[in-house]
Amino acid sequence: MGILSILILVPILGAIVLALLPADNQLARRVSFGFAGVAFALSLAVLAQFKSNTFHLQLQERFVWVADLGIRYHVGVDGLSIWLVVLTTLLTLISLAYGFYVNVRTKSFLALILVLEAAMLGSFLSLDLISFFTFFEATLIPMWLLVNNWGGEKRNAAANKFLIYTFGGSIFMLVGMVAISAQMHHLVNVSDYDLVDLQNVAAAGTLWKGNLQLETWVFWAFAIAFLVKTPAFPFHTWIADTYAEAPIVGPILSSAMVKLGTFGLLRFVLPLFPEVVQTQAPILMGLAVVSILYGAIVAAVQTDLRRLLAYSSLSHMGFILLGIFSLSFTGIVGGSYQQINHGVTTSALFLLVGFLFVRRGTTEFSALGGLKSQMPVFAALFLLSMLASVGLPGTNGFVGEFMALLGTFESGYAGQFGLNAGYAAAAGVGVILAAAYLLYMFQQIFYGPNANPLNLRLKDLKPWEVSVVSLLVVLILWGGLYPSTFTKPMEASAQAARLMAINPVGSRPVWGDPSLEIDVEGSQPDRGALVKVDEKREIGQPIKALSVVAPSNIRFVLDHQVSTATASASE
Amino acid sequence: MHQAFQFPVPEIDFATIAPVVFVALAGIVALVTEMFGNGRDKRTTIWVSLIGLGIALVTCVYQLGLSEYTTFNKMVERDAFASGIHIVIILATALTILFSEGYMRDKRIAHGEFYPLILWSATGAMIMSSTESLLVMFVGLEILSISLYVLAGLSRAEEKSEESALKYFLLGGFASGFLLYGIAFVYGATGSLNLVYVNSALAHSHGSSTQLLLFGLGLMLIGLGFKLSLVPFHLWTPDVYQGAPTNVTAYMASVSKIAAFAALSRILIAYAAIHEMWIPALTAIGVLTMTYGNLVALRQTDVKRMLGYSSIANAGYLLVAVIARGAHPAETSTTTIVFYLLGYSLTTIGAFAVLTLATRNGSEGTKFSDLRGLYQRSPAAAIILTLLAASLMGFPGTAGFLGKLFIVKDGLQSGLTLLVVCLAVNSVISVYYYLGLVKAVFAAGDEASELRLSPLKGGVAVACAACAIGVLFVGIFAGPVLSVIGGAH
């Protein structure tokens, strides 16, 4: 068993151990912290082993799960998932820290957080459609239980809405997955759900040959599942209720979980539906722009801090979508990077909101005001996190949103994929609106008269609280001042995802052929030339290009694929 | 010239029908032990029944490895499908017996005749599912049904139980009439009661006999549709399910459907040559069954009725697989149907078993509100019910998910896109009422719930645990399960 499987198993093991422990809150907290800490350390170990100069999937593990159906357990990591894995383990630790404030059924609460962590890690690492779906759906149950049992007043309705929305979106993705597999069955007479195999055939143009209509349907089945999860307009209505009613760890963990939506688009949709992605990009870009503007406008009229942040989240997730479907190198790296940034910023803000909530018991603006002098440290940290959310230069939010907008402008200006510069211009308005509503929010909480007597008793943050938030603030500044730490490992994979979607048949990168590389370091990274390298090269060794490959020279591995698929089916 | 008397003595192979014989014998022995035994202590009877089922189960598993075989003058068919279905029937019967005693004692209807009757009913189901002969199919159906009519009225003091039995009897008898009439048409067209000849008749026939066969199919479909509670032949289901004792309901929802689906599947395969003609009708029935079952289930306040409607919806899901199998027998396999029925039986029987915990001192609570406080009273039961609900919703890692995945796969490969999309939409609708069940279980109880709910122990505990573990095992380690029920390939 490799490191990735261990990484997924550690939190599950932690949850089982917690279930067996006696009901002692202090002990349960320590144990859960221990297991989450181990998971975090393992994710850093994965990061240390990770090679940035290849788009190929690393540390792969593959077992047959259900041979008759061609379902496997297949995990692996690449530039798109590596930082999300680290983000997930980090945010879990932070959520567990917040768990110090939960005294009702603490043990189950902590165990559920660990189960959720395992499910998210599994989703980010899965390379088989069905094992991805399994983990993807597995995130719903712990989240449902968290909201339903530890949430606010209207928790039942919010939890059900969350579950039914996400389940409803994803069930059609399941049908889509089976349709892809049936298509594969049609081609090579074996059911196969393995992303690497499927992408080979998709890149060769045979997966959807003569069946573009089916490709469009299946594309939308996938896209809608991920848009619900992201969420994007018009599939967003669950997010405000969930964020407002969930216990505070809900939004914190959710800020990693919603990345499953945008990550799913990068991981599955771009590689598998190359012909359709380009034609449907304007629709998705339109949804992204509407999400940005609509989220911002609705956020501006909220009277509750948590609801405002929920809509702000909708608006910011729009930028990620915008970057991805600009289908330009800058845009995809920006969108991919913004996933991490949004996770860090949102969880910092919600953590602070949580600290306020345990002190004050409400997050309504009408009950707050003038807290700046009352809680100066809290105000300072809140300001920094908020400015990152606004996208102030020097914070990580600026880099991500700027790159996403720049990418959109590049594609739009070139008139590619039916886009035009209008998308970038409209989305740019969203940045201004973000500044408007976030500053308004800050004003409502921290300025004005500190009139409410209940607020006069509020105490500033405790040292451990400051240290937890500071950790995130450091990441915010690091991401803003030295973004290449985070973007460098993403570049090869982002470029590959892009080329898989936009290149013509014959010059698309394939995961199935390790001798094929993208020349990221070359003179024109944006062109993303494919190079043929020494076949004996281990993944991650420096690329010595043998030749730049002309489209017709690429050997596609479909027939090789058939034999491996048959072999694994008969295992 | 004197002609030698020729009477075709059928070839008889008792080994082939061993599982059926064992179950029937177990029923007879159970009756005898019940007659001579101590009236109150049913343990001997229960053990006799379980051991009989166990022996039959072992025989079935052994038979799975054998190649296809027909005996008794083509009246008994032994193939992987028959053995797989037999296994599911035996498991379902055993699980029902496990949780019955405690429930019937609490409800004060601990009558000993339950055990022989349920075993003979299972015998009928097994006979029905392992034959290509329509006559034997009919006999099997009657053995199954007549025992069930008695069982449904087991709670003699209760009016609704009597009503349930009478309704089931009248409508069931009516349905049998349809089935028999259909069989008569098939006989008229082919001169045989065996489905094997339907195929050749369709291949070489002139228009008239095809018409006869089609008419026969329609009538048989109505007859089996009653048993399967397909919409629009479902009207008896909620009342009968609600009125019958809960253990009998669990048995009806699983075993009688298993047998009827096996029979329907065999009939449709025989009619594969003209599948264009029956697919539209069955598609309409399928869409109606799924949608109606789920929409009405949304509004129920009684768990038994809700599970009744849920079983209607599930019959609709499985119908998709049966249609795909009937239309393209060469490209699909029987594993989908057997696998789904296995998962469904485990889940449904488990859910009914948990529901019986709300029975005390002769009265039985079946409303959602009667389950409130179950989590405090017995956390294990609540968690098991949650797991079973997850399987009914189709969450990955449970048997229900893989079952649906198989159906979707078969459906898409056979071009039944409309039905598959309908299945997906309905899965989403169903989440809502299953969540309601989970919510009720975890809701805070009051002092009354302490008195109302029995603790989880004895046979009920074994049955619930077996269902939960089974649902997870089948869902996670599907490979070994599939290779067993797939038979010799």
Side-chain angles (χ1 to χ4, degrees):
Chain A
M1 195 188 294
I3 188 167
L4 295 184
S5 297
I6 297 174
L7 176 59
I8 299 171
L9 273 179
V10 163
I12 296 180
L13 208 63
I16 295 172
V17 170
L18 275 180
L20 300 176
L21 282 180
D24 174 355
N25 290 355
Q26 216 49 38
L27 181 67
R29 281 175 188 139
R30 285 202 195 107
V31 169
S32 64
F33 233 67
F35 277 95
V38 171
F40 181 59
L42 280 170
S43 70
L44 290 182
V46 174
L47 184 65
Q49 287 181 39
F50 184 80
K51 314 282 193 307
S52 326
N53 59 353
T54 177
F55 74 94
H56 283 291
L57 296 153
Q58 303 175 33
L59 303 168
Q60 287 189 54
E61 294 168 50
R62 204 192 288 233
F63 311 105
V64 173
W65 181 10
V66 186
D68 291 37
L69 287 170
I71 300 176
R72 301 192 198 118
Y73 166 83
H74 185 185
V75 290
V77 66
D78 73 348
L80 298 174
S81 53
I82 180 70
W83 283 111
L84 288 167
V85 168
V86 179
L87 178 75
T88 306
T89 52
L90 177 68
L91 292 187
T92 306
L93 270 179
I94 287 170
S95 308
L96 289 174
Y98 184 81
F100 281 90
Y101 280 124
V102 175
N103 291 314
V104 191
R105 281 178 282 172
T106 313
K107 210 174 69 165
S108 324
F109 183 80
L110 300 172
L112 283 174
I113 292 180
L114 288 177
V115 172
L116 186 56
E117 178 186 20
M120 287 197 286
L121 288 172
S123 320
F124 285 129
L125 294 171
S126 285
L127 297 174
D128 180 279
L129 296 187
I130 298 296
S131 48
F132 171 77
F133 186 80
T134 304
F135 286 118
F136 188 74
E137 295 288 271
T139 58
L140 301 184
I141 297 174
M143 198 58 162
W144 184 79
L145 286 168
L146 280 173
V147 179
N148 202 36
N149 290 320
W150 287 272
E153 264 173 42
K154 285 179 259 166
R155 55 179 185 265
N156 284 340
N160 283 1
K161 195 171 182 181
F162 161 74
L163 190 103
I164 291 173
Y165 258 75
T166 340
F167 187 85
S170 55
I171 192 87
F172 291 98
M173 178 166 74
L174 179 67
V175 175
M177 287 172 172
V178 179
I180 293 184
S181 165
Q183 196 71 3
M184 194 72 176
H185 190 90
H186 196 61
L187 281 175
V188 295
N189 221 12
V190 195
S191 290
D192 198 343
Y193 293 92
D194 199 306
L195 181 65
V196 175
D197 295 353
L198 295 172
Q199 195 266 329
N200 268 329
V201 191
T206 39
L207 182 60
W208 303 108
K209 195 160 201 167
N211 218 339
L212 280 179
Q213 205 183 0
L214 179 67
E215 184 179 359
T216 313
W217 280 107
V218 179
F219 167 85
W220 279 108
F222 272 69
I224 288 178
F226 292 133
L227 289 179
V228 171
K229 195 84 176 176
T230 303
F233 183 87
F235 309 107
H236 63 276
T237 54
W238 61 270
I239 195 166
D241 291 336
T242 308
Y243 278 22
E245 298 300 329
I248 289 297
V249 296
I252 296 176
L253 289 166
S254 197
S255 69
M257 190 175 73
V258 295
K259 302 304 176 299
L260 278 174
T262 44
F263 169 77
L265 292 168
L266 283 167
R267 167 68 86 232
F268 297 100
V269 172
L270 294 191
L272 290 181
F273 309 97
E275 292 82 7
V276 177
V277 166
Q278 298 175 50
T279 56
Q280 308 293 317
I283 304 178
L284 286 156
M285 290 293 268
L287 290 180
V289 171
V290 175
S291 298
I292 292 171
L293 296 178
Y294 175 84
I297 292 166
V298 179
V301 298
Q302 297 302 312
T303 56
D304 180 88
L305 183 50
R306 282 189 281 174
R307 291 192 96 88
L308 185 144
L309 287 176
Y311 282 106
S312 141
S313 206
L314 169 66
S315 180
H316 284 104
M317 290 304 284
F319 280 102
I320 302 177
L321 281 179
L322 196 74
I324 293 172
F325 284 100
S326 71
L327 298 178
S328 67
F329 177 64
T330 325
I332 291 184
V333 172
S336 182
Y337 181 41
Q338 186 61 13
Q339 293 183 50
I340 316 298
N341 299 338
H342 179 256
V344 172
T345 320
T346 311
S347 48
L349 281 171
F350 266 107
L351 192 60
L352 289 165
V353 171
F355 291 147
L356 181 63
F357 185 69
V358 288
R359 286 170 167 73
R360 184 63 179 78
T362 179
T363 50
E364 291 281 337
F365 290 138
S366 55
L368 303 167
L371 294 185
K372 188 168 161 291
S373 51
Q374 186 79 31
M375 309 168 73
V377 180
F378 178 78
L381 291 171
F382 200 96
L383 181 68
L384 269 169
S385 314
M386 184 210 76
L387 288 177
S389 193
V390 173
L392 191 80
T395 61
N396 57 2
F398 170 73
V399 183
E401 285 184 4
F402 181 74
M403 284 176 86
L405 282 173
L406 185 65
T408 311
F409 187 72
E410 278 173 15
S411 292
Y413 193 68
Q416 284 170 307
F417 321 119
L419 302 176
N420 57 49
Y423 289 94
V429 177
V431 182
I432 303 168
L433 288 175
Y437 67 78
L438 285 169
L439 290 172
Y440 164 77
M441 168 186 88
F442 194 78
Q443 208 177 21
Q444 292 291 310
I445 305 171
F446 292 101
Y447 291 99
N450 189 354
N452 197 323
L454 284 172
N455 290 346
L456 290 171
R457 287 186 311 183
L458 295 180
K459 294 213 169 61
D460 209 346
L461 295 186
K462 296 172 191 152
W464 73 265
E465 295 172 331
V466 175
S467 60
V468 174
V469 183
S470 304
L471 181 70
L472 291 170
V473 170
V474 167
L475 285 175
I476 287 173
L477 294 175
W478 187 350
L481 298 173
Y482 199 69
S484 65
T485 319
F486 302 97
T487 53
K488 201 81 201 156
M490 291 172 186
E491 280 174 5
S493 295
Q495 183 66 282
R498 167 178 178 252
L499 297 183
M500 282 170 187
I502 66 166
N503 271 10
V505 171
S507 55
R508 292 173 190 154
V510 280
W511 279 313
D513 183 359
S515 71
L516 209 60
E517 264 309 342
I518 293 175
D519 186 11
V520 187
E521 321 246 310
S523 52
Q524 287 179 305
D526 197 34
R527 295 279 164 271
L530 288 177
V531 292
K532 194 83 183 162
V533 293
D534 187 357
E535 294 220 19
K536 290 193 285 288
R537 182 190 67 106
E538 293 268 305
I539 284 178
Q541 274 178 6
I543 301 168
K544 287 194 207 95
L546 299 178
S547 59
V548 173
V549 185
S552 57
N553 287 351
I554 298 179
R555 180 176 54 83
F556 277 97
V557 275
L558 182 60
D559 39 7
H560 151 77
Q561 209 51 56
V562 175
S563 57
T564 51
T566 323
S568 55
S570 59
E571 273 167 28
Chain B
M1 278 296 288
H2 171 74
Q3 200 173 359
F5 173 69
Q6 282 190 333
F7 179 75
V9 179
E11 182 206 357
I12 290 179
D13 180 4
F14 282 107
T16 307
I17 57 164
V20 183
V21 173
F22 283 133
V23 175
L25 272 179
I28 295 169
V29 178
L31 182 69
V32 174
T33 46
E34 183 54 34
M35 270 185 339
F36 293 107
N38 168 359
R40 242 168 269 145
D41 188 10
K42 300 275 184 319
R43 264 177 297 183
T44 328
T45 320
I46 296 170
W47 276 114
V48 165
S49 316
L50 289 178
I51 289 170
L53 288 170
I55 297 173
L57 183 68
V58 172
T59 331
C60 281
V61 173
Y62 171 73
Q63 286 192 345
L64 267 175
L66 307 177
S67 50
E68 250 181 78
Y69 188 62
T70 313
T71 180
F72 284 95
N73 204 7
K74 289 190 184 158
M75 284 194 178
V76 174
E77 182 87 8
R78 187 197 59 208
D79 48 18
F81 183 51
S83 299
I85 292 286
H86 283 180
I87 289 176
V88 181
I89 291 174
I90 291 170
L91 284 176
T93 313
L95 286 170
T96 311
I97 288 177
L98 267 176
F99 82 85
S100 288
E101 182 57 25
Y103 165 73
M104 295 199 299
R105 202 178 286 272
D106 281 337
K107 202 172 155 71
R108 310 260 162 84
I109 51 164
H111 304 305
E113 63 266 35
F114 171 77
Y115 299 96
L117 280 172
I118 199 170
L119 288 170
W120 291 332
S121 176
T123 312
M126 288 166 78
I127 292 175
M128 187 182 170
S129 53
S130 59
T131 179
E132 300 262 285
S133 162
L134 289 170
L135 189 66
V136 178
M137 211 177 262
F138 180 76
V139 171
L141 178 74
E142 286 306 298
I143 299 175
L144 165 73
S145 305
I146 290 171
S147 318
L148 272 178
Y149 300 146
V150 183
L151 287 174
L154 203 63
S155 179
R156 289 189 279 264
E158 262 187 314
E159 245 175 53
K160 62 177 182 176
S161 179
E162 279 177 24
E163 178 200 332
S164 157
L166 192 65
K167 260 191 186 158
Y168 193 35
F169 174 63
L170 289 177
L171 286 168
F174 198 50
S176 299
F178 272 104
L179 182 63
L180 209 52
Y181 198 23
I183 293 172
F185 273 96
V186 175
Y187 185 75
T190 64
S192 161
L193 283 166
N194 201 303
L195 284 171
V196 177
Y197 299 105
V198 172
N199 227 337
S200 53
L202 286 171
H204 312 286
S205 78
H206 316 291
S208 57
S209 79
T210 307
Q211 291 304 318
L212 278 179
L213 282 170
L214 202 59
F215 199 64
L217 175 66
L219 289 168
M220 289 192 288
L221 204 60
I222 295 174
L224 289 174
F226 270 101
K227 282 283 149 205
L228 294 169
S229 53
L230 302 176
V231 177
F233 315 115
H234 66 283
L235 290 165
W236 58 275
T237 316
D239 290 344
V240 172
Y241 279 19
Q242 191 184 14
T246 305
N247 54 343
V248 178
T249 310
Y251 185 78
M252 273 196 279
S254 51
V255 172
S256 77
K257 288 204 176 177
I258 298 170
F261 263 121
L264 181 65
S265 169
R266 286 188 192 275
I267 291 174
L268 289 183
I269 289 173
Y271 278 90
I274 52 163
H275 64 82
E276 298 89 358
M277 296 172 110
W278 52 259
I279 277 189
L282 278 169
T283 305
I285 291 178
V287 171
L288 278 175
T289 307
M290 289 186 244
T291 316
Y292 180 85
N294 275 319
L295 288 181
V296 182
L298 285 178
R299 297 186 51 84
Q300 300 306 313
T301 54
D302 185 291
V303 181
K304 269 167 97 176
R305 278 184 95 86
M306 185 273 272
L307 285 172
Y309 281 110
S310 140
S311 89
I312 294 180
N314 272 287
Y317 303 157
L318 190 55
L319 192 62
V320 180
V322 174
I323 297 173
R325 172 95 185 116
H328 305 282
E331 292 140 47
T332 50
S333 80
T334 55
T335 42
T336 305
I337 300 173
V338 179
F339 192 90
Y340 192 86
L341 283 171
L342 176 64
Y344 166 73
S345 307
L346 288 173
T347 322
T348 307
I349 292 176
F352 278 115
V354 174
L355 182 60
T356 60
L357 291 179
T359 313
R360 269 282 176 93
N361 300 331
S363 75
E364 183 182 12
T366 57
K367 297 255 184 276
F368 277 93
S369 51
D370 293 324
L371 284 175
R372 289 171 72 93
L374 184 64
Y375 181 67
Q376 283 106 317
R377 181 80 175 130
S378 127
I383 290 169
I384 287 173
L385 192 64
T386 310
L387 180 71
L388 298 172
S391 176
L392 284 167
M393 290 183 231
F395 268 97
T398 61
F401 168 70
L402 279 181
K404 274 189 192 155
L405 185 66
F406 270 111
I407 293 179
V408 169
K409 173 175 158 276
D410 278 8
L412 285 180
Q413 280 176 358
S414 313
L416 304 171
T417 318
L418 172 67
L419 280 168
V420 169
V421 171
C422 186
L423 191 159
V425 172
N426 275 293
S427 298
V428 182
I429 300 175
S430 71
V431 170
Y432 190 79
Y433 59 83
Y434 293 132
L435 278 183
L437 187 61
V438 177
K439 208 160 68 185
V441 168
F442 282 98
D446 42 23
E447 280 180 19
S449 65
E450 187 81 352
L451 297 171
R452 198 175 56 234
L453 295 165
S454 309
L456 185 66
K457 65 175 186 352
V460 190
V462 177
C464 289
C467 289
I469 293 169
V471 162
L472 276 182
F473 182 83
V474 173
I476 295 172
F477 303 100
V481 177
L482 285 169
S483 61
V484 169
I485 61 176
H489 286 301

PDB file of all heavy atoms in Angstrom, chain A residues 275-290:
ATOM      1  N   GLU A 275     -13.951  17.759 -27.541  1.00  0.00           N
ATOM      2  CA  GLU A 275     -14.645  18.447 -28.635  1.00  0.00           C
ATOM      3  C   GLU A 275     -15.704  19.401 -28.088  1.00  0.00           C
ATOM      4  O   GLU A 275     -15.934  20.473 -28.643  1.00  0.00           O
ATOM      5  CB  GLU A 275     -15.294  17.433 -29.584  1.00  0.00           C
ATOM      6  CG  GLU A 275     -14.308  16.599 -30.385  1.00  0.00           C
ATOM      7  CD  GLU A 275     -13.772  15.412 -29.607  1.00  0.00           C
ATOM      8  OE1 GLU A 275     -14.272  15.157 -28.495  1.00  0.00           O
ATOM      9  OE2 GLU A 275     -12.822  14.767 -30.092  1.00  0.00           O
ATOM     10  N   VAL A 276     -16.348  18.993 -27.004  1.00  0.00           N
ATOM     11  CA  VAL A 276     -17.485  19.762 -26.513  1.00  0.00           C
ATOM     12  C   VAL A 276     -17.065  20.933 -25.639  1.00  0.00           C
ATOM     13  O   VAL A 276     -17.696  21.987 -25.658  1.00  0.00           O
ATOM     14  CB  VAL A 276     -18.440  18.828 -25.742  1.00  0.00           C
ATOM     15  CG1 VAL A 276     -19.580  19.616 -25.166  1.00  0.00           C
ATOM     16  CG2 VAL A 276     -18.960  17.761 -26.672  1.00  0.00           C
ATOM     17  N   VAL A 277     -15.962  20.753 -24.896  1.00  0.00           N
ATOM     18  CA  VAL A 277     -15.551  21.804 -23.959  1.00  0.00           C
ATOM     19  C   VAL A 277     -15.434  23.136 -24.687  1.00  0.00           C
ATOM     20  O   VAL A 277     -15.900  24.165 -24.211  1.00  0.00           O
ATOM     21  CB  VAL A 277     -14.215  21.434 -23.295  1.00  0.00           C
ATOM     22  CG1 VAL A 277     -13.616  22.633 -22.606  1.00  0.00           C
ATOM     23  CG2 VAL A 277     -14.420  20.317 -22.301  1.00  0.00           C
ATOM     24  N   GLN A 278     -14.828  23.085 -25.885  1.00  0.00           N
ATOM     25  CA  GLN A 278     -14.613  24.355 -26.593  1.00  0.00           C
ATOM     26  C   GLN A 278     -15.920  24.998 -27.028  1.00  0.00           C
ATOM     27  O   GLN A 278     -16.066  26.208 -26.968  1.00  0.00           O
ATOM     28  CB  GLN A 278     -13.747  24.102 -27.820  1.00  0.00           C
ATOM     29  CG  GLN A 278     -12.391  23.581 -27.465  1.00  0.00           C
ATOM     30  CD  GLN A 278     -11.600  23.231 -28.702  1.00  0.00           C
ATOM     31  OE1 GLN A 278     -11.496  24.029 -29.629  1.00  0.00           O
ATOM     32  NE2 GLN A 278     -11.030  22.049 -28.716  1.00  0.00           N
ATOM     33  N   THR A 279     -16.870  24.162 -27.450  1.00  0.00           N
ATOM     34  CA  THR A 279     -18.102  24.776 -27.938  1.00  0.00           C
ATOM     35  C   THR A 279     -18.984  25.254 -26.789  1.00  0.00           C
ATOM     36  O   THR A 279     -19.745  26.192 -26.945  1.00  0.00           O
ATOM     37  CB  THR A 279     -18.900  23.787 -28.805  1.00  0.00           C
ATOM     38  OG1 THR A 279     -19.146  22.618 -28.027  1.00  0.00           O
ATOM     39  CG2 THR A 279     -18.146  23.410 -30.061  1.00  0.00           C
ATOM     40  N   GLN A 280     -18.890  24.585 -25.639  1.00  0.00           N
ATOM     41  CA  GLN A 280     -19.755  24.971 -24.529  1.00  0.00           C
ATOM     42  C   GLN A 280     -19.103  26.012 -23.614  1.00  0.00           C
ATOM     43  O   GLN A 280     -19.746  26.496 -22.678  1.00  0.00           O
ATOM     44  CB  GLN A 280     -20.155  23.752 -23.692  1.00  0.00           C
ATOM     45  CG  GLN A 280     -20.731  22.599 -24.484  1.00  0.00           C
ATOM     46  CD  GLN A 280     -22.072  22.930 -25.110  1.00  0.00           C
ATOM     47  OE1 GLN A 280     -22.932  23.534 -24.485  1.00  0.00           O
ATOM     48  NE2 GLN A 280     -22.246  22.559 -26.365  1.00  0.00           N
ATOM     49  N   ALA A 281     -17.826  26.316 -23.855  1.00  0.00           N
ATOM     50  CA  ALA A 281     -17.132  27.244 -22.966  1.00  0.00           C
ATOM     51  C   ALA A 281     -17.868  28.570 -22.783  1.00  0.00           C
ATOM     52  O   ALA A 281     -17.962  29.055 -21.650  1.00  0.00           O
ATOM     53  CB  ALA A 281     -15.707  27.473 -23.456  1.00  0.00           C
ATOM     54  N   PRO A 282     -18.422  29.177 -23.845  1.00  0.00           N
ATOM     55  CA  PRO A 282     -19.104  30.466 -23.634  1.00  0.00           C
ATOM     56  C   PRO A 282     -20.257  30.358 -22.630  1.00  0.00           C
ATOM     57  O   PRO A 282     -20.454  31.265 -21.819  1.00  0.00           O
ATOM     58  CB  PRO A 282     -19.635  30.816 -25.024  1.00  0.00           C
ATOM     59  CG  PRO A 282     -18.778  30.079 -25.962  1.00  0.00           C
ATOM     60  CD  PRO A 282     -18.366  28.829 -25.261  1.00  0.00           C
ATOM     61  N   ILE A 283     -21.012  29.230 -22.654  1.00  0.00           N
ATOM     62  CA  ILE A 283     -22.126  29.088 -21.711  1.00  0.00           C
ATOM     63  C   ILE A 283     -21.597  29.048 -20.287  1.00  0.00           C
ATOM     64  O   ILE A 283     -22.089  29.735 -19.388  1.00  0.00           O
ATOM     65  CB  ILE A 283     -22.923  27.801 -22.012  1.00  0.00           C
ATOM     66  CG1 ILE A 283     -23.403  27.809 -23.456  1.00  0.00           C
ATOM     67  CG2 ILE A 283     -24.074  27.642 -21.048  1.00  0.00           C
ATOM     68  CD1 ILE A 283     -24.144  26.560 -23.845  1.00  0.00           C
ATOM     69  N   LEU A 284     -20.539  28.246 -20.093  1.00  0.00           N
ATOM     70  CA  LEU A 284     -19.997  28.122 -18.749  1.00  0.00           C
ATOM     71  C   LEU A 284     -19.377  29.434 -18.287  1.00  0.00           C
ATOM     72  O   LEU A 284     -19.484  29.816 -17.120  1.00  0.00           O
ATOM     73  CB  LEU A 284     -18.967  27.002 -18.718  1.00  0.00           C
ATOM     74  CG  LEU A 284     -19.642  25.630 -18.776  1.00  0.00           C
ATOM     75  CD1 LEU A 284     -18.718  24.578 -19.318  1.00  0.00           C
ATOM     76  CD2 LEU A 284     -20.132  25.238 -17.397  1.00  0.00           C
ATOM     77  N   MET A 285     -18.723  30.153 -19.239  1.00  0.00           N
ATOM     78  CA  MET A 285     -18.164  31.456 -18.879  1.00  0.00           C
ATOM     79  C   MET A 285     -19.283  32.413 -18.508  1.00  0.00           C
ATOM     80  O   MET A 285     -19.156  33.214 -17.581  1.00  0.00           O
ATOM     81  CB  MET A 285     -17.371  32.022 -20.058  1.00  0.00           C
ATOM     82  CG  MET A 285     -16.092  31.292 -20.327  1.00  0.00           C
ATOM     83  SD  MET A 285     -14.908  31.501 -19.015  1.00  0.00           S
ATOM     84  CE  MET A 285     -14.011  32.914 -19.597  1.00  0.00           C
ATOM     85  N   GLY A 286     -20.392  32.310 -19.243  1.00  0.00           N
ATOM     86  CA  GLY A 286     -21.540  33.155 -18.920  1.00  0.00           C
ATOM     87  C   GLY A 286     -22.030  32.875 -17.513  1.00  0.00           C
ATOM     88  O   GLY A 286     -22.270  33.793 -16.722  1.00  0.00           O
ATOM     89  N   LEU A 287     -22.158  31.574 -17.160  1.00  0.00           N
ATOM     90  CA  LEU A 287     -22.586  31.212 -15.807  1.00  0.00           C
ATOM     91  C   LEU A 287     -21.597  31.751 -14.774  1.00  0.00           C
ATOM     92  O   LEU A 287     -21.996  32.219 -13.699  1.00  0.00           O
ATOM     93  CB  LEU A 287     -22.707  29.701 -15.674  1.00  0.00           C
ATOM     94  CG  LEU A 287     -23.851  29.034 -16.424  1.00  0.00           C
ATOM     95  CD1 LEU A 287     -23.836  27.536 -16.187  1.00  0.00           C
ATOM     96  CD2 LEU A 287     -25.173  29.624 -15.989  1.00  0.00           C
ATOM     97  N   ALA A 288     -20.300  31.688 -15.120  1.00  0.00           N
ATOM     98  CA  ALA A 288     -19.291  32.179 -14.187  1.00  0.00           C
ATOM     99  C   ALA A 288     -19.476  33.669 -13.941  1.00  0.00           C
ATOM    100  O   ALA A 288     -19.472  34.133 -12.789  1.00  0.00           O
ATOM    101  CB  ALA A 288     -17.897  31.891 -14.725  1.00  0.00           C
ATOM    102  N   VAL A 289     -19.675  34.424 -15.030  1.00  0.00           N
ATOM    103  CA  VAL A 289     -19.831  35.870 -14.883  1.00  0.00           C
ATOM    104  C   VAL A 289     -21.097  36.190 -14.075  1.00  0.00           C
ATOM    105  O   VAL A 289     -21.078  37.021 -13.165  1.00  0.00           O
ATOM    106  CB  VAL A 289     -19.876  36.553 -16.269  1.00  0.00           C
ATOM    107  CG1 VAL A 289     -20.265  38.006 -16.139  1.00  0.00           C
ATOM    108  CG2 VAL A 289     -18.536  36.422 -16.951  1.00  0.00           C
ATOM    109  N   VAL A 290     -22.175  35.472 -14.392  1.00  0.00           N
ATOM    110  CA  VAL A 290     -23.410  35.713 -13.648  1.00  0.00           C
ATOM    111  C   VAL A 290     -23.209  35.380 -12.169  1.00  0.00           C
ATOM    112  O   VAL A 290     -23.658  36.114 -11.285  1.00  0.00           O
ATOM    113  CB  VAL A 290     -24.579  34.899 -14.241  1.00  0.00           C
ATOM    114  CG1 VAL A 290     -25.818  35.052 -13.387  1.00  0.00           C
ATOM    115  CG2 VAL A 290     -24.872  35.358 -15.654  1.00  0.00           C
TER     116      VAL A 290
END
